[in-house]
Amino acid sequence: MNLPNLLESGLPLFGTFVYGMTAGFVVILLDIIGPMIFLFALWNRKSWGPIWAFTYIGIFILNSIVALFTLREELGLLQILIPTIVGIIFVTVIYLKRNYFVNQIEPPSAISTL
C-alpha cells in the first residue's frame, strides 16, 4: 500500500535512496517475492528454507546497519532499530527451529503393505 509513496519519496538502500522503478523493484523483490518463497519453503518443509530466510532477512538487517550509520538523521533512530530488532528475532527463531525444515520421510502406511 505504501508503494506509490516509496516510488516518489525514495527507499533507503545501503546508505543511499533509490527512487522510481528501482525502489519498486526492490520492494517487490524483498517485501513480496522473498517472503512468498520463504512461505513456500515453510509450508513444504524445504531444506533450503532457512538459508533463504537468512539471506533475505540478512539483507534487511545489513541495510538497517548501514542506514544506522549513514541515514540516521534523515530516518530517525527508532525507524531503523525496531525493524532491525524484529529481523534479528525472526532469524533467531528460524535458526532455533531449523530442524522443522528437514524433509521428513513418512513411514509407509499400513494399507500399502497389505
Side-chain angles (χ1 to χ4, degrees):
M1 295 182 76
N2 194 30
L3 186 59
N5 181 42
L6 289 174
L7 295 175
E8 206 173 290
S9 302
L11 174 74
L13 185 65
F14 296 112
T16 186
F17 278 91
V18 292
Y19 300 92
M21 293 306 292
T22 305
F25 177 73
V26 170
V27 167
I28 290 171
L29 184 65
L30 293 179
D31 291 343
I32 298 172
I33 295 175
M36 286 175 62
I37 293 172
F38 177 67
L39 288 174
F40 172 80
L42 181 67
W43 185 264
N44 293 303
R45 302 180 95 177
K46 298 292 185 184
S47 60
W48 50 264
I51 296 168
W52 178 261
F54 298 151
T55 302
Y56 93 87
I57 296 173
I59 291 170
F60 281 111
I61 294 171
L62 183 60
N63 187 36
S64 296
I65 291 170
V66 171
L68 182 65
F69 294 108
T70 59
L71 301 171
R72 182 179 9 184
E73 293 79 25
E74 294 177 49
L75 298 175
L77 189 60
L78 286 178
Q79 286 79 5
I80 296 172
L81 287 180
I82 291 175
T84 305
I85 292 168
V86 170
I88 291 170
I89 291 170
F90 282 154
V91 165
T92 303
V93 169
I94 292 168
Y95 179 77
L96 292 174
K97 301 294 183 181
R98 68 190 179 279
N99 289 336
Y100 170 82
F101 292 92
V102 176
N103 287 334
Q104 304 292 325
I105 299 174
E106 295 191 25
S109 67
I111 296 173
S112 66
T113 58
L114 293 177

